[in-house]
Amino acid sequence: MTTTINPGAIVPFAEVAQLERLSRSPLPLPPQILDIAQNIRRDLVSWAQDYPAVVHGRAGDILRWMPLCAAVSYDGAPYRTALEFARHCVVVFAYDDVLDEEIGEPNTLEGLQTLTQEWLRVLSGPAGKEEAVLPASGTGRLQQLLLALVDSMRRVMDSPEAQQHQERWQELWQQASTGMLQELAWRHRTVRQPDFVTYMRTARSSIAVEATHWAAFITSAPADVLPEETDLLISVLKRAGYIIRLANDLNTVERDHQSNAANALLLTVDRWSCSVSEARALLRKHLEQELKRLFAVRASIAPAITDHYGWIVRSTVFACQWYLNRYELELTPEDLRAIDRTD
Protein backbone atom coordinates (compact mmCIF):
# COMPACT_ATOMS: atom_id res chain seq x y z
CA MET A 1 0.00 0.00 0.00
CA THR A 2 1.40 3.40 -1.03
CA THR A 3 1.27 6.14 1.59
CA THR A 4 -0.41 9.32 0.38
CA ILE A 5 1.99 12.27 0.37
CA ASN A 6 0.74 15.53 1.93
CA PRO A 7 -2.93 14.45 2.13
CA GLY A 8 -3.93 17.80 3.62
CA ALA A 9 -2.38 19.87 0.85
CA ILE A 10 -4.39 22.29 -1.27
CA VAL A 11 -2.43 21.28 -4.39
CA PRO A 12 -2.24 17.44 -4.55
CA PHE A 13 1.24 15.97 -4.69
CA ALA A 14 0.30 14.15 -7.90
CA GLU A 15 0.05 17.53 -9.64
CA VAL A 16 3.50 18.52 -8.35
CA ALA A 17 4.92 15.23 -9.62
CA GLN A 18 3.80 16.15 -13.13
CA LEU A 19 6.43 18.91 -13.07
CA GLU A 20 9.29 16.43 -12.83
CA ARG A 21 10.82 17.54 -16.15
CA LEU A 22 10.10 21.23 -15.48
CA SER A 23 8.65 21.48 -19.00
CA ARG A 24 5.16 22.37 -17.79
CA SER A 25 4.08 25.82 -16.75
CA PRO A 26 4.19 26.63 -13.03
CA LEU A 27 1.06 25.63 -11.17
CA PRO A 28 -1.43 28.45 -10.54
CA LEU A 29 -1.51 29.54 -6.92
CA PRO A 30 -4.87 28.91 -5.26
CA PRO A 31 -6.25 31.78 -3.12
CA GLN A 32 -5.73 29.66 0.00
CA ILE A 33 -1.97 29.50 -0.70
CA LEU A 34 -1.85 33.27 -1.12
CA ASP A 35 -3.71 33.70 2.17
CA ILE A 36 -1.06 31.61 3.95
CA ALA A 37 1.71 33.60 2.26
CA GLN A 38 0.14 36.85 3.43
CA ASN A 39 -0.09 35.57 7.00
CA ILE A 40 3.55 34.46 6.96
CA ARG A 41 4.63 37.83 5.60
CA ARG A 42 2.63 39.66 8.27
CA ASP A 43 4.24 37.61 11.04
CA LEU A 44 7.76 37.99 9.62
CA VAL A 45 7.41 41.75 9.19
CA SER A 46 6.29 42.06 12.80
CA TRP A 47 9.17 39.86 14.01
CA ALA A 48 11.77 41.69 11.90
CA GLN A 49 11.07 44.99 13.67
CA ASP A 50 13.41 43.76 16.41
CA TYR A 51 16.10 42.85 13.85
CA PRO A 52 16.43 45.61 11.21
CA ALA A 53 19.47 43.88 9.68
CA VAL A 54 17.16 41.12 8.49
CA VAL A 55 15.53 43.49 5.97
CA HIS A 56 18.67 45.40 4.93
CA GLY A 57 19.40 45.67 1.20
CA ARG A 58 18.61 42.62 -0.94
CA ALA A 59 17.49 40.76 2.16
CA GLY A 60 14.38 42.93 2.13
CA ASP A 61 13.34 41.31 -1.16
CA ILE A 62 13.31 37.86 0.40
CA LEU A 63 10.91 39.06 3.08
CA ARG A 64 8.36 39.26 0.26
CA TRP A 65 9.52 36.25 -1.75
CA MET A 66 10.04 33.76 1.07
CA PRO A 67 6.45 33.79 2.40
CA LEU A 68 5.31 32.76 -1.07
CA CYS A 69 7.97 30.04 -1.26
CA ALA A 70 7.09 28.74 2.22
CA ALA A 71 3.34 28.67 1.54
CA VAL A 72 3.83 26.71 -1.68
CA SER A 73 6.51 24.41 -0.25
CA TYR A 74 4.73 23.55 3.00
CA ASP A 75 1.28 23.15 1.51
CA GLY A 76 -0.68 21.03 3.98
CA ALA A 77 1.84 21.45 6.81
CA PRO A 78 1.06 23.06 10.17
CA TYR A 79 1.25 26.84 9.82
CA ARG A 80 4.09 26.97 12.35
CA THR A 81 6.21 24.66 10.19
CA ALA A 82 5.87 26.93 7.15
CA LEU A 83 6.49 30.04 9.26
CA GLU A 84 9.66 28.75 10.90
CA PHE A 85 11.00 27.56 7.56
CA ALA A 86 10.45 31.06 6.18
CA ARG A 87 11.99 32.71 9.26
CA HIS A 88 15.13 30.56 9.05
CA CYS A 89 15.48 31.25 5.33
CA VAL A 90 15.20 35.00 5.82
CA VAL A 91 17.95 34.98 8.47
CA VAL A 92 20.26 32.76 6.42
CA PHE A 93 19.79 34.89 3.31
CA ALA A 94 20.53 38.07 5.27
CA TYR A 95 23.62 36.50 6.84
CA ASP A 96 25.00 35.46 3.47
CA ASP A 97 24.26 38.93 2.09
CA VAL A 98 26.06 40.65 4.98
CA LEU A 99 29.12 38.43 4.54
CA ASP A 100 29.30 39.48 0.90
CA GLU A 101 29.08 43.16 1.81
CA GLU A 102 31.35 43.23 4.85
CA ILE A 103 34.42 41.45 3.54
CA GLY A 104 37.27 43.96 3.83
CA GLU A 105 37.36 46.71 6.43
CA PRO A 106 36.54 46.24 9.21
CA ASN A 107 36.36 42.50 8.54
CA THR A 108 39.01 40.42 6.84
CA LEU A 109 38.12 36.95 5.63
CA GLU A 110 40.00 35.55 8.63
CA GLY A 111 38.01 37.82 10.92
CA LEU A 112 34.74 36.59 9.48
CA GLN A 113 35.89 33.01 9.93
CA THR A 114 36.62 33.71 13.59
CA LEU A 115 33.27 35.43 14.04
CA THR A 116 31.47 32.48 12.47
CA GLN A 117 33.09 30.12 14.95
CA GLU A 118 31.94 32.38 17.78
CA TRP A 119 28.41 32.25 16.41
CA LEU A 120 28.51 28.49 16.29
CA ARG A 121 29.61 28.30 19.92
CA VAL A 122 26.57 30.36 20.91
CA LEU A 123 24.28 28.13 18.88
CA SER A 124 25.72 24.99 20.45
CA GLY A 125 24.43 26.04 23.88
CA PRO A 126 21.05 25.02 25.29
CA ALA A 127 18.22 26.26 23.07
CA GLY A 128 16.50 28.06 25.90
CA LYS A 129 19.56 29.65 27.46
CA GLU A 130 18.56 33.31 27.68
CA GLU A 131 21.90 34.43 29.08
CA ALA A 132 23.91 33.27 26.05
CA VAL A 133 27.04 35.40 25.68
CA LEU A 134 27.17 36.99 22.24
CA PRO A 135 30.42 37.45 20.32
CA ALA A 136 32.07 40.79 20.99
CA SER A 137 33.45 41.07 17.45
CA GLY A 138 31.56 41.97 14.32
CA THR A 139 29.49 44.95 13.26
CA GLY A 140 26.09 45.84 14.60
CA ARG A 141 24.41 44.21 11.62
CA LEU A 142 26.22 40.93 12.19
CA GLN A 143 25.34 41.08 15.88
CA GLN A 144 21.67 41.60 14.99
CA LEU A 145 21.70 38.64 12.65
CA LEU A 146 23.21 36.47 15.37
CA LEU A 147 20.42 37.51 17.72
CA ALA A 148 17.85 36.75 15.02
CA LEU A 149 19.37 33.33 14.38
CA VAL A 150 19.44 32.46 18.09
CA ASP A 151 15.83 33.59 18.38
CA SER A 152 14.89 31.45 15.38
CA MET A 153 16.58 28.44 16.92
CA ARG A 154 14.81 28.90 20.25
CA ARG A 155 11.44 29.07 18.52
CA VAL A 156 11.87 25.58 17.08
CA MET A 157 13.75 24.01 20.01
CA ASP A 158 10.90 24.49 22.45
CA SER A 159 10.46 20.94 23.74
CA PRO A 160 12.55 17.93 24.80
CA GLU A 161 11.36 16.16 21.63
CA ALA A 162 12.62 19.01 19.46
CA GLN A 163 15.94 19.30 21.26
CA GLN A 164 16.90 15.75 20.27
CA HIS A 165 17.32 17.14 16.74
CA GLN A 166 19.35 20.19 17.78
CA GLU A 167 22.78 18.64 17.27
CA ARG A 168 21.98 17.71 13.67
CA TRP A 169 20.69 21.23 13.05
CA GLN A 170 23.97 22.66 14.36
CA GLU A 171 25.95 20.37 12.05
CA LEU A 172 23.92 21.50 9.05
CA TRP A 173 24.24 25.16 9.98
CA GLN A 174 28.02 24.75 10.37
CA GLN A 175 28.24 23.18 6.93
CA ALA A 176 26.22 26.04 5.45
CA SER A 177 28.23 28.83 7.10
CA THR A 178 31.55 27.13 6.30
CA GLY A 179 30.42 26.84 2.69
CA MET A 180 29.56 30.53 2.55
CA LEU A 181 33.04 31.42 3.79
CA GLN A 182 34.64 29.03 1.29
CA GLU A 183 32.79 30.76 -1.53
CA LEU A 184 34.06 34.11 -0.25
CA ALA A 185 37.62 32.74 -0.34
CA TRP A 186 37.13 31.64 -3.96
CA ARG A 187 35.65 35.01 -4.88
CA HIS A 188 38.57 36.92 -3.39
CA ARG A 189 41.14 34.52 -4.87
CA THR A 190 42.70 33.65 -1.51
CA VAL A 191 42.63 29.94 -2.33
CA ARG A 192 42.84 27.83 -5.46
CA GLN A 193 39.73 27.96 -7.60
CA PRO A 194 37.53 24.82 -7.50
CA ASP A 195 36.59 22.37 -10.20
CA PHE A 196 32.90 21.60 -10.77
CA VAL A 197 32.71 18.66 -8.37
CA THR A 198 34.49 20.49 -5.54
CA TYR A 199 32.37 23.57 -6.06
CA MET A 200 29.06 21.70 -6.04
CA ARG A 201 30.01 19.76 -2.91
CA THR A 202 30.40 23.09 -1.11
CA ALA A 203 27.67 25.03 -2.88
CA ARG A 204 25.07 22.37 -2.12
CA SER A 205 25.52 23.13 1.58
CA SER A 206 26.17 26.88 1.39
CA ILE A 207 22.73 27.47 -0.09
CA ALA A 208 21.44 26.23 3.31
CA VAL A 209 18.62 24.05 2.00
CA GLU A 210 19.50 21.36 4.53
CA ALA A 211 19.64 23.65 7.58
CA THR A 212 16.44 25.57 6.81
CA HIS A 213 14.32 22.52 6.01
CA TRP A 214 15.69 20.75 9.07
CA ALA A 215 14.37 23.61 11.20
CA ALA A 216 10.96 23.04 9.62
CA PHE A 217 11.24 19.30 10.23
CA ILE A 218 11.91 19.87 13.93
CA THR A 219 8.62 21.73 14.38
CA SER A 220 6.56 18.74 13.24
CA ALA A 221 8.85 15.72 13.52
CA PRO A 222 7.11 12.50 14.55
CA ALA A 223 7.94 11.59 18.14
CA ASP A 224 8.91 8.04 17.14
CA VAL A 225 10.98 8.89 14.05
CA LEU A 226 13.97 6.54 13.76
CA PRO A 227 17.62 7.57 13.23
CA GLU A 228 17.75 5.75 9.90
CA GLU A 229 14.67 7.70 8.79
CA THR A 230 16.21 11.04 9.66
CA ASP A 231 19.41 9.96 7.91
CA LEU A 232 17.39 9.27 4.78
CA LEU A 233 15.71 12.65 5.06
CA ILE A 234 19.12 14.32 5.25
CA SER A 235 20.17 12.52 2.07
CA VAL A 236 17.02 13.84 0.39
CA LEU A 237 17.91 17.35 1.55
CA LYS A 238 21.43 17.04 0.18
CA ARG A 239 20.03 16.08 -3.22
CA ALA A 240 17.53 18.94 -3.05
CA GLY A 241 20.32 21.38 -2.16
CA TYR A 242 22.35 20.19 -5.14
CA ILE A 243 19.40 20.68 -7.50
CA ILE A 244 18.46 24.11 -6.19
CA ARG A 245 22.08 25.26 -6.43
CA LEU A 246 22.18 24.22 -10.09
CA ALA A 247 19.00 26.17 -10.79
CA ASN A 248 20.29 29.16 -8.81
CA ASP A 249 23.55 29.24 -10.75
CA LEU A 250 21.73 29.10 -14.08
CA ASN A 251 19.85 32.18 -12.89
CA THR A 252 22.72 34.23 -11.45
CA VAL A 253 25.50 33.55 -13.98
CA GLU A 254 25.82 37.19 -15.08
CA ARG A 255 25.99 38.56 -11.54
CA ASP A 256 28.43 35.84 -10.48
CA HIS A 257 30.66 36.53 -13.48
CA GLN A 258 30.78 40.26 -12.67
CA SER A 259 31.60 39.62 -9.01
CA ASN A 260 34.19 36.84 -9.64
CA ALA A 261 32.00 34.34 -7.81
CA ALA A 262 32.25 30.63 -8.56
CA ASN A 263 29.31 29.38 -10.60
CA ALA A 264 28.41 25.92 -11.90
CA LEU A 265 27.72 27.15 -15.43
CA LEU A 266 30.97 29.12 -15.67
CA LEU A 267 32.93 26.14 -14.36
CA THR A 268 31.25 23.95 -16.98
CA VAL A 269 32.33 26.38 -19.70
CA ASP A 270 35.93 26.21 -18.45
CA ARG A 271 35.94 22.45 -18.01
CA TRP A 272 34.56 21.56 -21.46
CA SER A 273 35.72 24.64 -23.40
CA CYS A 274 32.16 25.12 -24.62
CA SER A 275 29.91 28.12 -25.12
CA VAL A 276 27.64 29.49 -22.41
CA SER A 277 24.57 28.27 -24.31
CA GLU A 278 26.03 24.76 -24.61
CA ALA A 279 26.90 24.73 -20.90
CA ARG A 280 23.42 25.95 -20.05
CA ALA A 281 21.85 23.09 -22.03
CA LEU A 282 24.15 20.56 -20.35
CA LEU A 283 23.30 21.80 -16.86
CA ARG A 284 19.60 22.01 -17.60
CA LYS A 285 19.66 18.35 -18.64
CA HIS A 286 21.71 17.45 -15.57
CA LEU A 287 19.25 19.33 -13.34
CA GLU A 288 16.27 17.46 -14.76
CA GLN A 289 18.06 14.13 -14.30
CA GLU A 290 18.76 14.95 -10.66
CA LEU A 291 15.17 16.05 -10.12
CA LYS A 292 13.98 12.74 -11.58
CA ARG A 293 16.18 10.94 -9.04
CA LEU A 294 14.68 13.03 -6.26
CA PHE A 295 11.19 11.90 -7.27
CA ALA A 296 12.40 8.28 -7.51
CA VAL A 297 13.43 8.33 -3.83
CA ARG A 298 9.71 8.26 -3.01
CA ALA A 299 9.74 4.46 -3.27
CA SER A 300 12.08 4.15 -0.26
CA ILE A 301 10.56 6.81 2.01
CA ALA A 302 9.18 5.50 5.31
CA PRO A 303 5.67 6.64 6.34
CA ALA A 304 7.07 8.67 9.26
CA ILE A 305 8.87 11.08 6.92
CA THR A 306 6.60 10.89 3.87
CA ASP A 307 5.05 14.31 4.43
CA HIS A 308 8.40 15.97 4.99
CA TYR A 309 9.73 14.35 1.84
CA GLY A 310 6.75 15.77 -0.05
CA TRP A 311 7.34 19.27 1.31
CA ILE A 312 11.02 19.16 0.35
CA VAL A 313 10.09 18.09 -3.19
CA ARG A 314 7.50 20.88 -3.44
CA SER A 315 10.13 23.41 -2.33
CA THR A 316 12.66 22.09 -4.83
CA VAL A 317 10.22 22.26 -7.74
CA PHE A 318 9.11 25.76 -6.74
CA ALA A 319 12.70 27.02 -6.52
CA CYS A 320 13.71 25.43 -9.83
CA GLN A 321 10.74 26.80 -11.73
CA TRP A 322 11.27 30.22 -10.22
CA TYR A 323 14.99 30.38 -11.00
CA LEU A 324 14.49 29.06 -14.53
CA ASN A 325 11.69 31.51 -15.37
CA ARG A 326 12.38 34.65 -13.33
CA TYR A 327 15.35 36.89 -12.61
CA GLU A 328 16.61 36.14 -9.11
CA LEU A 329 13.91 37.17 -6.60
CA GLU A 330 12.01 39.31 -9.09
CA LEU A 331 8.35 39.80 -8.17
CA THR A 332 5.78 41.05 -10.66
CA PRO A 333 3.29 43.80 -9.75
CA GLU A 334 0.66 41.05 -9.59
CA ASP A 335 2.83 39.08 -7.13
CA LEU A 336 3.25 42.15 -4.93
CA ARG A 337 -0.43 42.97 -4.93
CA ALA A 338 -1.28 39.41 -3.94
CA ILE A 339 1.33 39.17 -1.18
CA ASP A 340 1.05 42.68 0.22
CA ARG A 341 -2.67 43.25 0.06
CA THR A 342 -3.11 42.77 3.82
CA ASP A 343 -0.17 45.02 4.83
Side-chain angles (χ1 to χ4, degrees), residues 156-303:
V156 300
M157 304 292 181
D158 61 351
S159 69
E161 293 78 16
Q163 290 175 19
Q164 68 177 306
H165 302 294
Q166 181 178 357
E167 184 175 350
R168 181 63 68 89
W169 180 87
Q170 291 162 359
E171 292 172 0
L172 296 175
W173 170 250
Q174 181 162 18
Q175 291 170 14
S177 57
T178 300
M180 293 175 197
L181 290 171
Q182 179 63 67
E183 290 191 35
L184 277 178
W186 287 331
R187 178 177 299 181
H188 292 275
R189 311 298 186 188
T190 61
V191 295
R192 182 179 178 180
Q193 297 302 289
D195 58 20
F196 180 87
V197 173
T198 300
Y199 167 72
M200 287 301 299
R201 189 181 300 121
T202 296
R204 177 197 70 199
S205 295
S206 66
I207 204 167
V209 167
E210 299 155 41
T212 52
H213 279 289
W214 193 253
F217 168 73
I218 291 171
T219 66
S220 52
D224 58 350
V225 65
L226 300 174
E228 55 266 32
E229 293 170 338
T230 57
D231 288 344
L232 178 57
L233 198 63
I234 290 295
S235 71
V236 169
L237 284 171
K238 290 182 184 299
R239 188 177 297 278
Y242 185 95
I243 293 168
I244 293 173
R245 171 56 79 173
L246 284 175
N248 176 85
D249 282 17
L250 286 167
N251 183 287
T252 61
V253 60
E254 292 182 7
R255 174 163 62 87
D256 290 342
H257 178 67
Q258 293 172 359
S259 63
N260 294 320
N263 177 286
L265 189 147
L266 298 175
L267 290 170
T268 300
V269 169
D270 292 342
R271 171 65 180 84
W272 298 105
S273 300
C274 60
S275 67
V276 169
S277 60
E278 289 171 328
R280 187 178 296 277
L282 284 170
L283 287 189
R284 174 64 182 257
K285 182 178 180 180
H286 182 45
L287 188 156
E288 291 189 355
Q289 290 172 336
E290 290 298 316
L291 191 59
K292 185 175 182 178
R293 293 187 180 100
L294 180 65
F295 274 98
V297 174
R298 176 179 180 177
S300 60
I301 295 295

Side-chain angles (χ1 to χ4, degrees), residues 7 13 18 26 58 111 129 135 145 167 175 187 250 269 305 338:
F13 187 81
Q18 293 176 10
R58 289 194 312 129
K129 188 178 179 182
L145 289 174
E167 184 175 350
Q175 291 170 14
R187 178 177 299 181
L250 286 167
V269 169
I305 57 172

Side-chain angles (χ1 to χ4, degrees), residues 92-103:
V92 170
F93 186 97
Y95 173 65
D96 188 36
D97 211 33
V98 168
L99 288 183
D100 287 345
E101 292 180 10
E102 302 221 357
I103 186 69

Side-chain angles (χ1 to χ4, degrees), residues 5-6 8-17 19 25-41 64-79 81-83 85-86 89 213 216 307-322 326 331 335 338-339:
I5 299 178
N6 306 143
I10 297 163
V11 177
F13 187 81
E15 293 187 25
V16 178
L19 304 175
S25 300
L27 295 171
L29 297 179
Q32 302 99 310
I33 295 286
L34 292 175
D35 287 344
I36 295 170
Q38 291 157 12
N39 290 337
I40 292 173
R41 171 151 167 75
R64 284 190 170 89
W65 183 84
M66 186 46 63
L68 187 61
C69 174
V72 173
S73 302
Y74 281 89
D75 186 2
Y79 175 75
T81 298
L83 175 61
F85 169 70
C89 288
H213 279 289
D307 278 339
H308 286 278
Y309 164 77
W311 293 322
I312 293 165
V313 170
R314 290 173 185 271
S315 180
T316 305
V317 170
F318 176 84
C320 287
Q321 288 206 309
W322 188 282
R326 305 281 193 113
L331 291 167
D335 294 330
I339 298 170

